[in-house]
Amino acid sequence: MSIFGKRRKVERLDFIVAGAQKSGTTSLHYFFKKHRQIALPDRQELHFFDDEEIFSRPVNYQLLHRHFRPAARTTTAGEVTPSYLYWKPAMERIWNYNPQIKLIILLRNPIERAFAHWNMQRFKDRESLAFLDALKEEPRRIAEPLTIESRRFAYVDRGFYSEQLERVFQFFSQEQVRIVKFEDFRDRKQATLNGIFEFLGVKPLRGVRDKDRNVVPYERAMTPEERKYLSAVFSSEIAKLEQMLGWDCSDWKA
């Protein structure tokens, strides 16, 4: 029997890494690519479930599945698009696609995430405003939902994770969702990866070599004024997340 005789077309995804942006999802994708039991598409961030044009008509899921090569029957298939967590219609669309799917969500200190997001936009020449100015302009810029602007410039809005997680749990059980603290993934890579692989039902990946992926050079550090501003913005949100997830987020308040 040829090798392709033992393989099948991917016709249903088993998992999605759904968020959050700038929280280690590219690094996780890198380790997934090294795992023989995990099938990934031909590119990261397919942006299928947050594509308004695709969902403006009867959905053709072949547009999703065509990005995957035939996979062994022991393989679990998934994709990584971190904006799904933030994009309001995405969770219901994912549930309609596969109610049994597993979701992985990485969450980062929203203060640090906002600055990393702004820095990425500056690096890509998409942002002309200074950081504080961009934060203050954000409500006007993202006033129209489901637009490029609401995706690109939601530095603060993307950091209100509790509302986004509430949308997740409207459709999915807690057993289907693995929420990972970015700082744990960064500082305890092997143990955190082992937990993720166990959640997906695949073997551990041995000899993990830590590698930063998608590292954009910072043009400068966050100023004390900027940090103080964001600390005030996110203070109650961080407290809500601690209660919601049972996490100790004291490191997010420093």
Side-chain angles (χ1 to χ4, degrees):
M1 183 182 290
S2 72
I3 188 168
F4 286 103
K6 299 177 183 177
R7 293 175 176 260
R8 60 179 172 84
K9 285 179 65 178
V10 171
E11 296 179 335
R12 187 58 51 98
L13 299 193
D14 304 296
F15 75 89
I16 287 175
V17 179
Q21 187 197 41
K22 307 308 296 180
S23 298
T25 55
T26 299
S27 179
L28 184 57
H29 181 269
Y30 167 79
F31 291 111
F32 281 173
K33 281 181 71 175
K34 291 187 166 297
H35 202 297
R36 292 183 177 181
Q37 289 180 281
I38 295 177
L40 295 170
D42 51 20
R43 69 171 191 266
Q44 189 181 341
E45 299 198 26
L46 291 180
H47 286 289
F48 181 85
F49 293 101
D50 60 0
D51 188 319
E52 295 308 304
E53 185 177 348
I54 287 174
F55 285 86
S56 67
R57 58 179 69 92
V59 183
N60 177 11
Y61 292 114
Q62 179 55 29
L63 296 174
L64 173 65
H65 301 146
R66 69 183 183 185
H67 291 282
F68 291 80
R69 296 176 64 184
R73 295 193 179 276
T74 57
T75 300
T76 184
E79 69 119 336
V80 180
T81 302
S83 61
Y84 291 161
L85 180 65
Y86 179 67
W87 208 251
K88 288 185 178 179
M91 286 302 140
E92 184 172 10
R93 292 168 179 173
I94 294 169
W95 183 83
N96 286 332
Y97 166 74
N98 180 6
Q100 279 76 49
I101 204 165
K102 293 181 178 182
L103 299 177
I104 300 168
I105 296 167
L106 289 83
L107 300 181
R108 181 180 187 177
N109 178 343
I111 297 168
E112 300 290 346
R113 197 222 67 81
F115 189 66
H117 183 176
W118 171 82
N119 184 75
M120 178 185 72
Q121 295 295 76
R122 295 278 283 193
F123 182 77
K124 293 182 176 180
D125 291 325
R126 294 174 177 169
E127 178 58 270
S128 60
L129 296 180
F131 187 43
L132 266 182
D133 292 336
L135 298 180
K136 292 170 183 176
E137 278 292 303
E138 180 177 326
R140 181 189 64 78
R141 285 169 136 184
I142 70 168
E144 288 292 323
L146 307 183
T147 60
I148 290 295
E149 286 73 20
S150 68
R151 196 194 300 271
R152 285 184 176 172
F153 300 122
Y155 306 121
V156 170
D157 201 44
R158 282 180 185 257
F160 287 102
Y161 304 135
S162 60
E163 178 185 339
Q164 298 168 54
L165 292 175
E166 284 166 1
R167 280 201 300 273
V168 171
F169 291 119
Q170 283 178 12
F171 297 99
F172 300 99
S173 69
Q174 291 190 5
E175 291 72 29
Q176 289 174 264
V177 183
R178 179 84 175 191
I179 303 174
V180 177
K181 195 177 181 188
F182 163 79
E183 292 77 11
D184 290 341
F185 180 52
R186 179 193 64 200
D187 300 336
R188 293 181 284 279
K189 188 77 84 268
Q190 183 75 66
T192 306
L193 280 172
N194 287 348
I196 291 171
F197 292 139
E198 182 181 3
F199 172 70
L200 293 178
V202 299
K203 296 176 181 178
L205 186 66
R206 297 300 177 194
V208 166
R209 294 182 63 187
D210 195 6
K211 218 169 187 183
D212 287 322
R213 315 298 297 173
N214 197 30
V215 176
V216 172
Y218 277 62
E219 64 175 47
R220 62 170 178 81
M222 198 184 325
T223 68
E225 181 189 8
E226 291 163 347
R227 188 174 295 278
K228 183 179 179 181
Y229 178 90
L230 284 175
S231 292
V233 168
F234 286 120
S235 175
S236 60
E237 171 66 14
I238 291 172
K240 186 174 182 179
L241 280 167
E242 285 185 309
Q243 187 173 27
M244 186 179 192
L245 300 175
W247 286 4
D248 174 8
C249 294
S250 53
D251 55 326
W252 289 6
K253 305 171 192 176

